Amino acid sequence: MNGHPTRDGWFSAGQVPCDPVPPPREHPYRVVLLGPPGVGKGTQAMLLGQTLRACHLSTGDLFRAASCGSELSPSMRAAIAATQRGELVCEELVIDLVRERAGCLRCHGGFLLDGFPRNVTQAQALDELLAELNVTLDAVLYFELPQEEIVARLAGRRTCSRCPAVYHLAARPPATAGVCDGCGGELTQRADDRPDVIRVRMQAYDESTRPLIDFYRRDGRLVSVAATGTPEQIRDRAMRLLDRRVGASQAVAQSV
Ligand code: AP5
């Protein structure tokens, strides 16, 4: 995948190594991407991942990958059913899934965590896990966009049925309608992008995830990014803010 890390370790809970294994970095970026459904977190994780050579760790992708499998545990079946209704998956399961992937959080290449944490309990669990691993979270990028633009992004999203590619009918159309540019796979609409399910997802965001804005703002980890413009413009904006933030925290670390 263009020389940037595969996500084998993430999908296999460390049973399969990534190829290539990311080389040690002087300062790997470790970042959470926060924002409402459809704001563009996955798109930014992919673009930032190419720039930073850091891995895109998405809990939503774990559930979508599992839904294609055949031998599912009862708790994973319940989790997939929750995603299809647009509800949050039970937090014990999500936290266990991330714990099993602690190796990805310690990875020398850094990480871009997308879709986790999604409530304060998950955020506290992440802080505890990172402290155990002796790893510092550099920043939480919070992507902001007016609601009507979010709805337009979700309505036009199409995803490849074979690879992780994500398109938008207007903003990122494939060269041939309905066909993935990269692998030729069929493009489909995500099951949870139906209007009735979008409503449930937005409500879950407002009730459970939005409080994380204050949670991370209080201790200075929140970095707000306007999610308007093209994906590349947003990526460049996020990179500038991130570099400033990481540079500042390194300066503090060196002075103590
Ligand atoms: P998840 O996959 O995390 O979904 P989400 O948070 O709802 O986010 P999306 O993937 O819908 O949107 P996105 O912000 O990544 O936008 P994208 O880049 O695709 O989770 C799915 C489900 O799993 C949850 O509902 C829940 O059930 C469960 N789950 C996951 N994690 C959980 C957790 N921690 N706890 C409990 N449950 C959990 O972009 C959207 C569209 O816009 C695309 O078409 C894209 O091409 C387009 N686009 C992107 N940027 C731009 C731009 N700048 N201009 C125009 N179009 C753009």
Side-chain angles (χ1 to χ4, degrees):
M1 283 171 72
N2 304 329
H4 62 91
T6 63
R7 300 188 288 170
D8 300 335
W10 179 247
F11 285 108
S12 71
Q15 302 304 303
V16 177
C18 290
D19 178 24
V21 173
R25 313 272 304 273
E26 194 182 342
H27 187 94
Y29 280 70
R30 295 183 169 120
V31 175
V32 163
L33 284 79
L34 179 66
V39 74
K41 303 179 296 297
T43 303
Q44 289 307 312
M46 195 217 25
L47 290 173
L48 290 167
Q50 287 167 354
T51 305
L52 298 170
R53 293 275 190 268
C55 198
H56 173 198
L57 308 180
S58 157
T59 42
D61 282 350
L62 286 184
F63 297 123
R64 282 184 287 280
S67 70
C68 302
S70 48
E71 287 174 28
L72 297 178
S73 66
S75 51
M76 187 51 96
R77 266 203 300 275
I80 292 165
T83 67
Q84 288 165 350
R85 291 190 300 269
E87 296 165 7
L88 294 193
V89 170
C90 109
E91 65 199 12
E92 289 81 6
L93 176 74
V94 182
I95 292 168
D96 283 352
L97 286 176
V98 174
R99 262 194 172 275
E100 283 168 10
R101 289 158 175 79
C104 293
L105 300 177
R106 285 196 287 264
C107 175
H108 294 308
F111 62 75
L112 296 155
L113 202 42
D114 164 19
F116 182 90
R118 240 179 167 92
N119 61 27
V120 170
T121 308
Q122 292 182 12
Q124 288 165 337
L126 177 64
D127 281 345
E128 283 168 25
L129 180 55
L130 294 179
E132 282 169 33
L133 299 171
N134 203 16
V135 160
T136 307
L137 183 63
D138 292 306
V140 174
L141 290 179
Y142 165 48
F143 293 96
E144 296 184 88
L145 192 69
Q147 173 89 3
E148 59 277 12
E149 289 191 50
I150 291 176
V151 171
R153 286 187 187 178
L154 284 172
R157 173 163 57 189
R158 296 294 180 271
T159 55
C160 180
S161 48
R162 274 204 236 143
C163 79
V166 177
Y167 296 86
H168 189 275
L169 293 180
R172 293 213 130 183
T176 306
V179 180
C180 177
D181 295 346
C183 74
E186 185 194 358
L187 301 186
T188 56
Q189 188 164 30
R190 250 170 64 172
D192 60 351
D193 278 347
R194 293 199 324 258
D196 54 327
V197 185
I198 290 175
R199 267 193 297 280
V200 179
R201 289 164 63 201
M202 291 296 185
Q203 195 178 341
Y205 174 78
D206 283 338
E207 286 171 5
S208 303
T209 312
R210 196 181 283 283
L212 288 181
I213 299 169
D214 277 342
F215 179 89
Y216 287 119
R217 187 178 278 137
R218 269 198 298 274
D219 60 19
R221 286 182 285 181
L222 195 82
V223 175
S224 295
V225 185
T228 47
T230 67
E232 289 73 18
Q233 286 169 333
I234 302 164
R235 185 261 328 267
D236 293 347
R237 194 177 297 142
M239 273 307 306
R240 278 196 298 277
L241 292 164
L242 204 48
D243 280 338
R244 207 178 299 158
R245 159 81 211 180
V246 172
S249 53
Q250 282 175 341
V252 171
Q254 279 163 10
S255 69
V256 289

